[in-house]
Amino acid sequence: MNASTPLTAMRPDPAATDAPDLLAWEMIRTLVGFDTTSRESNLALIDWIRAYLESHGADCLLTFDDDKRKANLFATFAAQDGNATSGGIVLSGHTDVVPVDGQPWDTNPFEATAIGDRVFGRGVTDMKSFSATGLAFVPEFLRRGLRRPLHFALSYDEEVGCIGVGRLIDDIVRRGVRPLGCIVGEPTGMELVVAHKGKKSWRCRVRGHEAHSSLTPHGVNAVQLACEIVTCLTNMARAFRDQGGYDHAYDVPYTTVHTGVIRGGTALNIVPRDCSFDFEFRHLPFDDPDELFAEVNEYAQRFLPEMRKVASNTHIEFDLLSASPGFDTHGESDIALLGQDCNGTSDHGKVSFGTEAGLFHAAGVPAIICGPGHIAQAHQPNEWVAVDQLARCEAFMRRLADRVCAA
Ligand SMILES: [Zn+2]
């Protein structure tokens, strides 16, 4: 948002709605209409899409979470020659959205609302519009005749750590499906993205020893020790910023180190016994997050002798919170070249945010990311996507049909 734009200019007026001229408009309205906040079941949406795809002849497979409250859908339209397993194109999207709790929305978040040149609604950018556009083009793909298989991979629980899609990917690998590549429709402003960073995060728990704050030498101050380790992380972050390595194709061209949460202490007159903090590395492919972690761990363990001189039951421990691989599908790969054709430009870039593309790539399915809207509009109140972005997504699908269809 431009700093000079008054906030009121960003607010939709629900009275002034009109339907944009898009083939996928009804499909976008349908998908946004299901509340698929990550904590809720997504089965109503999955059942609806499955019925739609099966009515067009798709072979659909569901993989569930442990409670059977959520499902991934993997759907296949075989090529005209009957090939259903090799050389296909996967259109991939997550079905879940982030919560709207506590956010000031001016429209119903679960109703796609078109106002002027924008569409508002939870998930219009992240990322139901891409999936909806792919689904809306199914009749066109079929009418023109598929020369390659076309797959849809629709997952659950992406927004809480790419949890669901792993089961879908395991399943397709097990069944011998070998696609040419996967197009993940996360919001990139319809720019082609061929790489993103990996991410690995940990929680550090410092156990010190309580004492009255007038007797600090009798205690072990967990807050102060935690801050020393956070400072070690901060110094690592500065070193990456100032000395690299760099890859200037990324928006942030070096590995970043970040501490996001810290909790510790109970009262000023007590030497605190416990402090914990969460930190992450978002790393370039050539920086190894486990090596970085080893450095931090080694630094932390140096405090132990001093701590244990005061109290023997003190410790510093780390729990792994999440790990998602980065990926780099080179600009000359088949799927990247196809993406460039569909976008009508050879431009391609790299981004710092993680997606399911890294997991497809790790399973041997080359991936690219290209979807309507911008990541800055995701997760916000009044989430919106420009109608022009949706039109570009439709143009992408039409050119994709030109390349994978017989007619
Ligand atoms: Zn997303």
Side-chain angles (χ1 to χ4, degrees), residues 126 158 184-189 191 193 195-199 250-252 282 324-327 350-358 369-371 373-376 378:
D126 188 11
E158 190 273 347
V184 178
E186 290 279 359
T188 64
E191 303 298 324
V193 167
H196 69 57
K197 291 180 178 176
K199 183 182 112 170
Y250 285 90
D251 41 1
V252 179
R282 289 187 183 250
S324 58
F327 83 105
K350 304 180 179 185
V351 295
S352 297
F353 61 89
T355 73
E356 297 176 338
I369 314 170
C370 186
H374 298 275
I375 198 75

Side-chain angles (χ1 to χ4, degrees), residues 89 141 145-148 338 399-406:
I89 302 297
F141 279 109
L146 286 167
R147 282 187 294 120
R148 298 174 172 278
L338 179 77
R399 289 194 213 102
L400 180 63
D402 293 344
R403 275 146 192 89
V404 302
C405 293

Side-chain angles (χ1 to χ4, degrees), residues 94 126-127 158-159 186-187 379:
H94 60 81
D126 188 11
M127 54 164 290
E158 190 273 347
E159 294 289 4
E186 290 279 359
H379 300 200

